[in-house]
Amino acid sequence: MDNVKIINIEKTYLSNKNSSKKSFNLNIPRLEINEGEFFGLLGPSGCGKSTMLKLIAGLLELNSGEIYIGEENIVSTPTEKRNLAMVFQESLLFPHMTLEENVGFGLKMRKISREHRKIKVKEILNIVNLEGMEKRYPDQLSGGQKQRGAIARALVCSPKLLLMDEPFSALDPKLREDMREFTKSLHSKHKITTIFVTHDKEEAFFLFDKMAIMNQGKIIQVGSPKDLYENPESSFVAEFLGIKNIFYGDIKNNVFYGKDFILNLVEVKLKIEKGYESNTCFKNDNMDYKGKYLAIKPEGCFVCKSWPEDPLLKKDYGCIKGEIKSMSYMQGFLRLSVKISKGYSIDVLQSYNSDVTFFIGEKVIVGYNFNKINIIN
Ligand code: ADP
Ligand code: MG
């Protein structure tokens, strides 16, 4: 199996050549990517994603550590012998070569005969839907076509590993979406192990089988996008994945004490001492914790004018009074921000219902589903 295994890697950038002061430090104790996986590195700009990719590619030298592809430690293998290919934000096609020559370039370097090259290039251009464009120069191709050309060039030598660094960030939104779909279907057909870097969580949710969330040169959490969203282990991950309602406080007798508001919890999925996969939901008569973050998913909340007398609802939901601060309609959903105290608001995402209208400043009740709450350190 050609898994990618990263063990104790470290890379330090110095603030300038003549100084020993560190300006950035990447440190990854362990990361394993399975053969055939579509793996993502997700994190804010400057967290070290490109550095990590360049270290795997051999475009940068490690300070220490090991990187394995399969059984082989590739740390001292030159880039061109690592059997991998890269796609960057800019397509980097050679401007003076036709698409056909660009895509066939790697094969030419490997001394593959002209006829074989032609067959292979045609096959790959078919896969990326660029058949018939062989004779065009890069400046005669659209942004999306250029990126597909770059992908074709990467795939032509049948790499074991495909590395992609924000390949669609320079494209307009519609094209970016098309390219995402294209890349996903390409991966599901050919199953080339892929490591894809992005700072865009929508892209991450759409594409990745598994991902590592990074911050400041470290991996914060690894898992499938669903695992990470459902069970974030830190407020950083929760916030980065778009869970906007994150409050700090203490929990005593099943009540959460925020800075200037309280929330009744009664029954909440606990993830603190349990491994985050366990996903157990258990009643806890005396839930007492000091200094925790409460992350409430906006889609687990709803806004109503009066609290419905429904015993089933009461079993799963708590409620708090508030005042609508802002409201916007988006694609069948209503996003509301409801002020619940002097300094705090709850973000709510609910299905749009044309029978009920709300207005800014309206006094309402926010219901929150206990099953959509994480208590995190
Ligand atoms: P990302 O791809 O996540 O945006 P990078 O890996 O490009 O982040 O960079 C991580 C950090 O290292 C940033 O603070 C960046 O400014 C710094 N950095 C990147 N390349 C160099 C370099 N060659 N020399 C010094 N600092 C660098
Ligand atoms: Mg980068």
Side-chain angles (χ1 to χ4, degrees):
M1 288 286 274
D2 284 324
N3 291 1
V4 178
K5 217 167 15 186
I6 287 170
I7 301 168
N8 272 329
I9 62 168
E10 181 136 7
K11 174 72 191 174
T12 300
Y13 293 125
L14 301 177
S15 43
N16 66 60
K17 281 204 179 90
N18 308 317
S19 123
S20 57
K21 207 172 143 248
K22 292 177 184 175
S23 69
F24 179 79
N25 183 257
L26 178 99
N27 180 279
I28 312 289
R30 199 179 170 91
L31 179 68
E32 198 161 338
I33 295 154
N34 294 322
E35 185 174 349
E37 208 159 55
F38 203 138
F39 191 91
L41 296 176
L42 176 69
S45 178
C47 71
K49 306 180 295 296
S50 296
T51 301
M52 179 102 160
L53 220 56
K54 284 180 194 156
L55 291 168
I56 298 171
L59 301 173
L60 266 180
E61 217 173 302
L62 284 167
N63 292 81
S64 60
E66 294 155 50
I67 301 174
Y68 289 87
I69 298 183
E71 297 300 308
E72 190 190 352
N73 183 353
I74 55 159
V75 165
S76 26
T77 312
T79 299
E80 64 278 11
K81 297 233 165 86
R82 290 190 184 193
N83 205 353
L84 48 79
M86 280 193 88
V87 179
F88 299 92
Q89 188 174 333
E90 299 298 326
S91 75
L92 306 179
L93 294 173
F94 301 119
H96 60 286
M97 287 186 191
T98 62
L99 180 62
E100 187 178 34
E101 288 163 348
N102 263 293
V103 173
F105 186 74
L107 297 173
K108 197 172 176 183
M109 290 292 104
R110 289 174 191 213
K111 308 250 178 338
I112 308 287
S113 74
R114 183 184 282 268
E115 301 92 87
H116 270 100
R117 253 171 24 223
K118 228 181 158 77
I119 295 167
K120 187 78 192 165
V121 168
K122 199 171 161 53
E123 187 187 309
I124 293 283
L125 287 179
N126 257 321
I127 290 176
V128 300
N129 305 329
L130 287 176
E131 61 281 344
M133 309 236 170
E134 288 81 355
K135 302 293 174 211
R136 292 208 193 172
Y137 287 90
D139 65 0
Q140 297 170 313
L141 297 170
S142 71
Q145 289 167 339
K146 267 190 255 190
Q147 267 329 52
R148 276 183 282 145
I151 293 172
R153 191 177 53 180
L155 296 180
V156 79
C157 293
S158 310
K160 273 189 189 165
L161 180 62
L162 181 61
L163 305 176
M164 303 179 94
D165 193 349
E166 313 225 13
F168 312 137
S169 323
L171 304 176
D172 67 58
K174 171 75 180 90
L175 205 52
R176 206 180 309 160
E177 233 169 79
D178 293 347
M179 286 302 291
R180 268 178 211 167
E181 278 169 29
F182 167 77
T183 309
K184 186 154 171 114
S185 78
L186 192 71
H187 179 266
S188 63
K189 271 189 218 140
H190 300 274
K191 292 281 176 217
I192 299 171
T193 314
T194 304
I195 307 179
F196 188 112
V197 159
T198 184
H199 63 268
D200 178 347
K201 66 176 191 310
E202 314 304 333
E203 197 157 75
F205 281 115
F206 185 81
L207 286 176
F208 303 150
D209 297 327
K210 220 167 156 188
M211 62 185 180
I213 299 205
M214 295 181 66
N215 192 31
Q216 297 181 341
K218 294 202 162 37
I219 288 179
I220 310 295
Q221 198 178 344
V222 181
S224 72
K226 187 175 90 201
D227 280 346
L228 297 190
Y229 188 80
E230 293 299 326
N231 304 298
E233 284 175 341
S234 59
S235 56
F236 178 82
V237 170
E239 218 168 328
F240 196 76
L241 294 181
I243 304 172
K244 287 207 175 147
N245 304 313
I246 298 175
F247 307 113
Y248 186 75
D250 301 329
I251 297 168
K252 217 172 159 188
N253 293 328
N254 300 326
V255 176
F256 175 80
Y257 293 86
K259 238 182 176 160
D260 60 358
F261 64 94
I262 63 170
L263 295 172
N264 202 341
L265 295 181
V266 186
E267 186 187 339
V268 171
K269 274 184 184 177
L270 284 186
K271 309 281 159 48
I272 303 168
E273 285 94 4
K274 297 264 162 189
Y276 78 93
E277 286 105 342
S278 68
N279 219 13
T280 24
C281 178
F282 57 93
K283 279 206 177 104
N284 194 332
D285 291 334
N286 261 318
M287 200 161 64
D288 284 315
Y289 294 106
K290 270 218 149 340
K292 296 287 177 196
Y293 289 95
L294 205 62
I296 309 177
K297 298 185 177 100
E299 70 277 15
C301 302
F302 70 95
V303 169
C304 55
K305 292 179 190 280
S306 61
W307 190 237
E309 271 308 321
D310 179 348
L312 276 177
L313 188 79
K314 276 193 183 139
K315 189 176 150 291
D316 283 332
Y317 283 83
C319 66
I320 186 168
K321 287 180 185 163
E323 184 183 316
I324 297 179
K325 217 174 66 180
S326 69
M327 193 166 48
S328 56
Y329 173 86
M330 26 181 273
Q331 298 157 303
F333 289 91
L334 209 53
R335 190 176 267 287
L336 301 113
S337 175
V338 180
K339 194 169 169 178
I340 54 164
S341 71
K342 213 161 167 225
Y344 291 87
S345 299
I346 288 191
D347 252 55
V348 177
L349 185 67
Q350 67 187 31
S351 287
Y352 172 68
N353 175 359
S354 57
D355 295 339
V356 188
T357 40
F358 295 108
F359 58 89
I360 309 280
E362 186 174 356
K363 302 265 194 280
V364 289
I365 294 170
V366 178
Y368 49 92
N369 187 337
F370 299 136
N371 299 314
K372 297 283 180 183
I373 295 179
N374 298 90
I375 298 171
I376 45 195
N377 288 314

